[in-house]
Amino acid sequence: MNNLEITQIFYEIANLLEIKGHKFRSRAYRRAAQTIETLPETLLDISNRGELEKIPGVGFNIAAKIQELLDTEKLKYLKRLRREFPKGLLSLMEIEGIGPKKALILHRKLNIDSIDKLEVAVKKGKLKDFKGFGEKTERNILRGIAMFRRGQERILLGYALPIAVKVREMLEMCSAVKRVSLAGSIRRRKETIGDVDILVTSEEALKVMEYFVTLPQVNRVMVQGETKSTVFLSNDFKVDLRVVEDRSFGAALQYFTGSKEHNIKLRELALKKGWKLSEYDLQDKKSGRILAGENEKSIYNALELDYVEPELRENRGEIKKALEKKLPRLVRYNEMRGDLHVHTEWSDGFNTIQEMVIGAKRLGLEYIAVCDHSETLRVAHGLSGEDLLRQLEKVRNINSEIEEFTVLQGVEVNIKTDGSLDVEDQILNEMDIVIASIHSGFKQSKEQVTDRLLTAIHNEYVNVIGHPTGRLINRREPYQVDLPKIFDAAAEQGVFMEINAFPNRLDLSDIHSQNAKDSNVKLTIGSDAHKIDQLGFIELGVAVARRGWLRPEDVCNTLTVEKLKKVLRR
Ligand code: DGT
Ligand code: CA
Ligand code: CA
Ligand code: ZN
């Protein structure tokens, strides 16, 4: 049994315990599930080392459950729990806005035991009569259902990327393989991925395909052909592999990277010149002369375009700019000098400040901003003003001991429902960086949320608005907010917008980041890491920045710590 399967089982247990009213135990399982979901290695490996209990959030009890699942593929505890409830009840709770209470009512009163039945019932207006199910709830449920269905199909970039890279590395080890590249949406670093596309060149396609479909990660082979094979990995990711001749590498890479809309534009451009662009090459139609094909750049250049980075290929004006030679010089993955949003064990993180420093150094960073939660975020053990001053003391000590690295003392302060902050100005004044975020009151009106954020922006100690729209990809819609207004105020006040790089946030999104930049707002990238191995998420934030057309000068993380400190002084 793999990590993802065990994660799902633990989420199910958490939900069942929630229905039963066992809040604490439910939370323990949810926390364990969240941790396991993002583990960089398999539970089997960890168990073989006898280190299950060393996983944060996994105690004796849960470790025993994991062991049972690994050994027997079954769990007696879950079986017992399931017997207490009708089948289908849980599926309802997959929908945003339906918690244990509502699920029970739907089931008892209307006999609803599937998402499909729920949808029919809402559309027939059958829910209105029950307490807590007004018209607004109905609309929310329908939206939740649509979101759930979308979420079922698309995978978060942050989860797909490491796995895709692993498969690419395995392919690189195959002797019959000449060149390998990721393609499709994962090469464009889109925030969610439908399926993973990989391109290979080889003179022995059959050998490559045989090697590919028998990789250990492969669970099921859907198609095995000579030029294209499709498989499902054990975590249900679909992977398409294409093999072409080496002389077509560039053309094939261009074609299979997409997007489809970008490709259509490019092909039109070729046609106007009397040429034909295909996955094999760029050809003159009349003479059949091959103009380009072996490398991707030469295709763009032959069409008199500047090379277009994969992240920009969405047909959002990049071809016009490439023709005019006016594409921005995008910020690069290796240009991050620091991470501007990390948590530690002082609030709800798992590692000490020192450990986060080690992790960040390993990534080649020069600074991190420790921004733990503030007091009113109880679920996250938020810090009081006093705690923050103690932490500041600690950070000063650490800074005096380490070389060529700086810890910035910060805080992720809550913006309360009236727009005020839950840390006093006097304390905020001591911080190197203040991120202000909304963690409550998501259902307020657009005016209310906008006013709240405007109030925070006008607080002279605030530097950054954290995860500015509050969305959770596939899970929670953004709150209603007038972003143009927020961006204008931020530009005027010298407040930055965050690109929160946590895989299910990516907030601001690519397009919103671009809008912010166009309003003269600078952006910060923060991994929002709660433990060392999440620091790598910063890469996802850079992907968003690049997809948002951001240049190095638009992103504060490219600054040296000295320059950064200057721009943080308002
Ligand atoms: P995804 O998988 O939904 O996240 O998005 P993509 O962009 O990876 O789409 P996918 O996997 O269907 O196809 C990979 C690339 O292949 C796509 O980006 C462009 C190219 N492609 C696929 N189908 C077509 C097509 O009908 N026309 C054109 N021009 N290109 C296509
Ligand atoms: Ca794809
Ligand atoms: Ca595909
Ligand atoms: Zn937050």
Side-chain angles (χ1 to χ4, degrees), residues 310-361:
E311 290 92 334
L312 295 184
R313 301 184 197 169
E314 299 292 347
N315 191 28
R316 292 191 201 134
E318 71 279 7
I319 292 183
K320 184 165 173 284
K321 288 278 188 232
L323 271 171
E324 298 166 354
K325 321 268 187 236
K326 279 188 184 151
L327 280 173
R329 180 342 210 135
L330 297 184
V331 60
R332 293 184 183 136
Y333 291 96
N334 63 6
E335 284 177 324
M336 292 299 103
R337 288 176 185 271
D339 185 334
L340 290 175
H341 186 169
V342 312
H343 293 271
T344 72
E345 61 169 14
W346 283 69
S347 64
D348 60 345
F350 292 96
N351 289 105
T352 62
I353 301 173
Q354 292 95 325
E355 285 164 349
M356 295 305 268
V357 168
I358 293 170
K361 274 185 157 177

Side-chain angles (χ1 to χ4, degrees), residues 90-99 102 106 114-116 118-120 122-123 127 135-153 443 472-478:
L90 275 176
S91 66
L92 300 181
M93 285 174 55
E94 301 276 349
I95 307 299
E96 189 197 343
I98 298 188
K102 286 207 170 84
L106 289 169
S114 72
I115 290 168
D116 288 353
L118 175 63
E119 186 173 31
V120 173
V122 182
K123 287 192 172 152
L127 265 54
E135 244 175 66
K136 208 168 144 198
T137 313
E138 288 189 339
R139 267 201 314 276
N140 284 343
I141 290 178
L142 285 181
R143 216 179 46 201
I145 292 175
M147 225 157 91
F148 170 78
R149 297 214 166 113
R150 276 204 311 274
Q152 286 242 304
E153 291 157 12
K443 296 265 151 67
L472 296 177
I473 300 174
N474 294 337
R475 285 280 168 271
R476 185 173 75 203
E477 294 285 345

